[in-house]
PDB file of all heavy atoms in Angstrom:
ATOM      1  N   ALA A 396     -12.799  -9.699  -1.500  1.00  0.00           N
ATOM      2  CA  ALA A 396     -13.416 -11.072  -1.623  1.00  0.00           C
ATOM      3  C   ALA A 396     -12.887 -11.887  -2.719  1.00  0.00           C
ATOM      4  O   ALA A 396     -12.568 -13.084  -2.560  1.00  0.00           O
ATOM      5  CB  ALA A 396     -14.908 -10.864  -1.849  1.00  0.00           C
ATOM      6  N   CYS A 397     -12.584 -11.261  -3.890  1.00  0.00           N
ATOM      7  CA  CYS A 397     -11.986 -11.977  -5.023  1.00  0.00           C
ATOM      8  C   CYS A 397     -10.561 -12.464  -4.641  1.00  0.00           C
ATOM      9  O   CYS A 397     -10.169 -13.624  -4.944  1.00  0.00           O
ATOM     10  CB  CYS A 397     -11.924 -11.104  -6.175  1.00  0.00           C
ATOM     11  SG  CYS A 397     -13.616 -10.771  -6.922  1.00  0.00           S
ATOM     12  N   ALA A 398      -9.848 -11.587  -4.018  1.00  0.00           N
ATOM     13  CA  ALA A 398      -8.388 -11.989  -3.693  1.00  0.00           C
ATOM     14  C   ALA A 398      -8.353 -13.103  -2.649  1.00  0.00           C
ATOM     15  O   ALA A 398      -7.507 -13.965  -2.812  1.00  0.00           O
ATOM     16  CB  ALA A 398      -7.747 -10.716  -3.122  1.00  0.00           C
ATOM     17  N   GLU A 399      -9.203 -13.026  -1.669  1.00  0.00           N
ATOM     18  CA  GLU A 399      -9.275 -14.173  -0.721  1.00  0.00           C
ATOM     19  C   GLU A 399      -9.620 -15.457  -1.357  1.00  0.00           C
ATOM     20  O   GLU A 399      -9.100 -16.512  -0.986  1.00  0.00           O
ATOM     21  CB  GLU A 399     -10.248 -13.724   0.501  1.00  0.00           C
ATOM     22  CG  GLU A 399      -9.736 -12.619   1.420  1.00  0.00           C
ATOM     23  CD  GLU A 399     -10.641 -12.355   2.512  1.00  0.00           C
ATOM     24  OE1 GLU A 399     -11.826 -12.653   2.381  1.00  0.00           O
ATOM     25  OE2 GLU A 399     -10.173 -11.807   3.480  1.00  0.00           O
ATOM     26  N   ARG A 400     -10.602 -15.346  -2.241  1.00  0.00           N
ATOM     27  CA  ARG A 400     -11.029 -16.679  -2.865  1.00  0.00           C
ATOM     28  C   ARG A 400      -9.762 -17.243  -3.685  1.00  0.00           C
ATOM     29  O   ARG A 400      -9.593 -18.389  -3.681  1.00  0.00           O
ATOM     30  CB  ARG A 400     -12.156 -16.367  -3.867  1.00  0.00           C
ATOM     31  CG  ARG A 400     -12.590 -17.522  -4.779  1.00  0.00           C
ATOM     32  CD  ARG A 400     -13.790 -17.235  -5.665  1.00  0.00           C
ATOM     33  NE  ARG A 400     -13.605 -16.108  -6.468  1.00  0.00           N
ATOM     34  CZ  ARG A 400     -14.446 -15.558  -7.201  1.00  0.00           C
ATOM     35  NH1 ARG A 400     -15.783 -16.027  -7.179  1.00  0.00           N
ATOM     36  NH2 ARG A 400     -14.268 -14.553  -8.059  1.00  0.00           N
ATOM     37  N   ALA A 401      -9.093 -16.314  -4.383  1.00  0.00           N
ATOM     38  CA  ALA A 401      -7.907 -16.693  -5.256  1.00  0.00           C
ATOM     39  C   ALA A 401      -6.851 -17.361  -4.282  1.00  0.00           C
ATOM     40  O   ALA A 401      -6.270 -18.374  -4.607  1.00  0.00           O
ATOM     41  CB  ALA A 401      -7.323 -15.640  -5.985  1.00  0.00           C
ATOM     42  N   MET A 402      -6.567 -16.692  -3.186  1.00  0.00           N
ATOM     43  CA  MET A 402      -5.518 -17.112  -2.268  1.00  0.00           C
ATOM     44  C   MET A 402      -5.847 -18.527  -1.696  1.00  0.00           C
ATOM     45  O   MET A 402      -5.068 -19.470  -1.672  1.00  0.00           O
ATOM     46  CB  MET A 402      -5.284 -16.105  -1.087  1.00  0.00           C
ATOM     47  CG  MET A 402      -4.442 -16.612   0.011  1.00  0.00           C
ATOM     48  SD  MET A 402      -2.702 -16.699  -0.464  1.00  0.00           S
ATOM     49  CE  MET A 402      -2.147 -14.995   0.029  1.00  0.00           C
ATOM     50  N   LYS A 403      -7.099 -18.671  -1.315  1.00  0.00           N
ATOM     51  CA  LYS A 403      -7.599 -19.990  -0.717  1.00  0.00           C
ATOM     52  C   LYS A 403      -7.547 -21.074  -1.733  1.00  0.00           C
ATOM     53  O   LYS A 403      -7.088 -22.207  -1.520  1.00  0.00           O
ATOM     54  CB  LYS A 403      -9.049 -19.834  -0.263  1.00  0.00           C
ATOM     55  CG  LYS A 403      -9.593 -21.112   0.412  1.00  0.00           C
ATOM     56  CD  LYS A 403     -10.981 -20.865   0.925  1.00  0.00           C
ATOM     57  CE  LYS A 403     -11.558 -22.097   1.644  1.00  0.00           C
ATOM     58  NZ  LYS A 403     -12.958 -21.881   2.159  1.00  0.00           N
ATOM     59  N   CYS A 404      -7.926 -20.826  -2.956  1.00  0.00           N
ATOM     60  CA  CYS A 404      -7.996 -21.748  -4.081  1.00  0.00           C
ATOM     61  C   CYS A 404      -6.506 -22.242  -4.390  1.00  0.00           C
ATOM     62  O   CYS A 404      -6.221 -23.381  -4.486  1.00  0.00           O
ATOM     63  CB  CYS A 404      -8.610 -21.251  -5.304  1.00  0.00           C
ATOM     64  SG  CYS A 404      -8.580 -22.397  -6.790  1.00  0.00           S
ATOM     65  N   MET A 405      -5.545 -21.319  -4.445  1.00  0.00           N
ATOM     66  CA  MET A 405      -4.186 -21.476  -4.846  1.00  0.00           C
ATOM     67  C   MET A 405      -3.464 -22.397  -3.680  1.00  0.00           C
ATOM     68  O   MET A 405      -2.641 -23.148  -3.975  1.00  0.00           O
ATOM     69  CB  MET A 405      -3.399 -20.280  -5.108  1.00  0.00           C
ATOM     70  CG  MET A 405      -3.841 -19.604  -6.416  1.00  0.00           C
ATOM     71  SD  MET A 405      -3.718 -20.498  -7.922  1.00  0.00           S
ATOM     72  CE  MET A 405      -4.549 -19.504  -9.060  1.00  0.00           C
ATOM     73  N   GLN A 406      -3.861 -22.058  -2.439  1.00  0.00           N
ATOM     74  CA  GLN A 406      -3.245 -22.765  -1.333  1.00  0.00           C
ATOM     75  C   GLN A 406      -3.694 -24.157  -1.287  1.00  0.00           C
ATOM     76  O   GLN A 406      -2.976 -25.071  -0.918  1.00  0.00           O
ATOM     77  CB  GLN A 406      -3.499 -22.020  -0.047  1.00  0.00           C
ATOM     78  CG  GLN A 406      -2.790 -20.752   0.099  1.00  0.00           C
ATOM     79  CD  GLN A 406      -3.221 -20.065   1.424  1.00  0.00           C
ATOM     80  OE1 GLN A 406      -4.263 -20.179   1.956  1.00  0.00           O
ATOM     81  NE2 GLN A 406      -2.339 -19.133   1.874  1.00  0.00           N
ATOM     82  N   GLN A 407      -4.941 -24.401  -1.635  1.00  0.00           N
ATOM     83  CA  GLN A 407      -5.593 -25.733  -1.702  1.00  0.00           C
ATOM     84  C   GLN A 407      -5.131 -26.552  -2.867  1.00  0.00           C
ATOM     85  O   GLN A 407      -5.299 -27.735  -2.861  1.00  0.00           O
ATOM     86  CB  GLN A 407      -6.989 -25.654  -1.488  1.00  0.00           C
ATOM     87  CG  GLN A 407      -7.510 -25.128  -0.072  1.00  0.00           C
ATOM     88  CD  GLN A 407      -8.957 -25.022  -0.077  1.00  0.00           C
ATOM     89  OE1 GLN A 407      -9.727 -25.048  -0.973  1.00  0.00           O
ATOM     90  NE2 GLN A 407      -9.485 -24.670   1.287  1.00  0.00           N
TER      91      GLN A 407
END
Side-chain angles (χ1 to χ4, degrees):
C397 292
E399 288 182 335
R400 176 176 60 187
M402 173 70 93
K403 182 178 180 180
C404 179
M405 294 299 176
Q406 289 178 336
Q407 294 178 345

